[in-house]
Amino acid sequence: MTRQSPERPVKSRATRQRAAITKALEHAHGFLSAQELHAVLKQTNERVGLTTVYRTLQSLAETGEVDLLRRSDGEAIYRRCSTSSHHHHLVCESCGVSVEIASQEIERWAQLAAHRHDFTPTSHSAEIYGICKSCAQT
Amino acid sequence: MTRQSPERPVKSRATRQRAAITKALEHAHGFLSAQELHAVLKQTNERVGLTTVYRTLQSLAETGEVDLLRRSDGEAIYRRCSTSSHHHHLVCESCGVSVEIASQEIERWAQLAAHRHDFTPTSHSAEIYGICKSCAQT
DNA sequence: GTTAGTGCAAATGATTTGCAAACAG
DNA sequence: CTGTTTGCAAATCATTTGCACTAAC
């Protein structure tokens, strides 16, 4: 899911845990839930509280530094975005890898569909699920 | 969200509570969470346990009789579908009304984008959020 | 020094599950 | 009858919050 959010001035302190979290996100392939990220940090011997993971991911998502989407069971999952611009995702259901995709088509479709029904469009979400090449081979 | 699901033969007994739930869904505009539906039933003096509401909505969603999607906070919300075919939704963020929309464009886009990245597409989700006409006027 | 950031423990809230009683076919 | 379905209470589980404490700037 990707919702457009205007750039907001944000003040955040450079703390060890914030660094650990962003670093872990860098190295992660695909999406991670707060719980999973916390587990990863534990394995890396980074001492970061679960609460902090939640709060940090939340703030990163607000500023648009990471993408927030939902697993089918509703659990929130996050991913570091390479681009700050609006985009959607293609996610492998098997290994979790994801690819960012931008498309004029979708944007246009959303605008049109909304107007066609007298709605003022505010945002939209769109993700594609599938099996990636390497997972398909095995 | 809408995931394509093949019709599956289902055996379900005709119980008072199941009837009450489907009936409530008929009359509802837009999406309802299990909790909300349960509240509605209480007001209507229909005696249905919360557990049953959860279990019934879950089974209705599996058979495709209702659509399951998620609020931004991850809560599951359900809606009776008028068509059994694959479609997406346009939801009013203010009053919750929703409109079902089908679009070849989206389907084509999903297929193309997946193939372009060597993915075998399995499903996709896409919803548009906005403000409906009547809410915009107030 | 101030103030934001941290983390533990406790609180919350949606959803699930165990299990015995009620009910449909 | 016999297998489902129900519903209560208890259990789960992700996420949030209160609060005292520590670290940034």
Side-chain angles (χ1 to χ4, degrees):
Chain A
M1 178 194 285
T2 311
R3 295 194 177 219
Q4 33 247 25
S5 51
E7 301 300 320
R8 194 195 308 176
V10 186
K11 49 193 170 189
S12 64
R13 287 183 179 175
T15 68
R16 174 180 56 76
Q17 19 281 85
R18 195 180 187 89
I21 290 171
T22 46
K23 183 180 163 194
L25 281 168
E26 298 274 350
H27 298 303
H29 289 295
F31 289 86
L32 286 176
S33 69
Q35 303 277 351
E36 290 165 348
L37 181 48
H38 181 241
V40 168
L41 291 172
K42 207 177 289 175
Q43 294 180 330
T44 326
N45 288 310
E46 296 280 5
R47 203 166 307 288
V48 182
L50 179 56
T51 310
T52 303
V53 174
Y54 272 105
R55 281 194 284 233
T56 305
L57 285 176
Q58 206 168 288
S59 91
L60 288 174
E62 273 171 28
T63 62
E65 288 172 75
V66 300
D67 260 3
L68 158 59
L69 67 102
R70 301 252 166 208
R71 278 215 238 283
S72 47
D73 66 340
E75 193 180 357
I77 49 179
Y78 304 82
R79 183 192 185 212
R80 176 182 150 276
C81 308
S82 54
T83 56
S84 57
S85 58
H86 181 67
H87 59 263
H88 299 281
H89 293 95
L90 171 57
V91 187
C92 175
E93 293 190 314
S94 173
C95 65
V97 219
S98 69
V99 181
E100 292 175 7
I101 46 185
S103 161
Q104 292 310 107
E105 292 177 64
I106 293 302
E107 312 307 315
R108 209 180 313 120
W109 168 74
Q111 293 287 321
L112 272 170
H115 287 130
R116 191 175 302 140
H117 294 279
D118 290 317
F119 273 60
T120 307
T122 55
S123 67
H124 59 261
S125 72
E127 348 287 337
I128 307 175
Y129 301 93
I131 305 295
C132 74
K133 200 177 188 177
S134 52
C135 284
Q137 296 177 327
T138 41
Chain B
M1 177 193 287
T2 311
R3 293 193 180 218
Q4 34 248 25
S5 51
E7 302 299 323
R8 195 196 309 175
V10 185
K11 50 191 172 191
S12 64
R13 286 185 178 174
T15 67
R16 173 180 57 75
Q17 20 280 83
R18 195 178 187 91
I21 291 172
T22 45
K23 183 180 166 194
L25 280 168
E26 298 274 351
H27 298 304
H29 289 294
F31 289 86
L32 286 177
S33 69
Q35 304 276 352
E36 291 166 347
L37 181 48
H38 181 240
V40 168
L41 291 172
K42 206 177 290 176
Q43 294 180 331
T44 325
N45 288 311
E46 296 281 5
R47 202 165 310 285
V48 181
L50 180 56
T51 309
T52 303
V53 174
Y54 272 106
R55 280 193 284 232
T56 305
L57 284 176
Q58 205 169 286
S59 91
L60 288 174
E62 272 171 29
T63 63
E65 289 171 74
V66 300
D67 259 4
L68 157 61
L69 69 101
R70 302 254 166 206
R71 279 213 237 285
S72 47
D73 67 339
E75 193 181 355
I77 50 179
Y78 305 82
R79 182 191 187 211
R80 178 182 148 278
C81 309
S82 55
T83 56
S84 58
S85 57
H86 181 67
H87 58 264
H88 300 281
H89 293 96
L90 171 57
V91 187
C92 175
E93 293 190 314
S94 175
C95 65
V97 221
S98 70
V99 181
E100 291 176 7
I101 46 185
S103 161
Q104 292 310 106
E105 292 177 64
I106 293 300
E107 312 307 316
R108 209 180 313 120
W109 168 73
Q111 292 288 320
L112 273 171
H115 286 130
R116 192 175 300 140
H117 294 278
D118 290 317
F119 273 60
T120 307
T122 54
S123 65
H124 60 261
S125 70
E127 346 289 337
I128 307 175
Y129 301 93
I131 305 296
C132 74
K133 200 176 187 178
S134 51
C135 284
Q137 297 178 326
T138 40

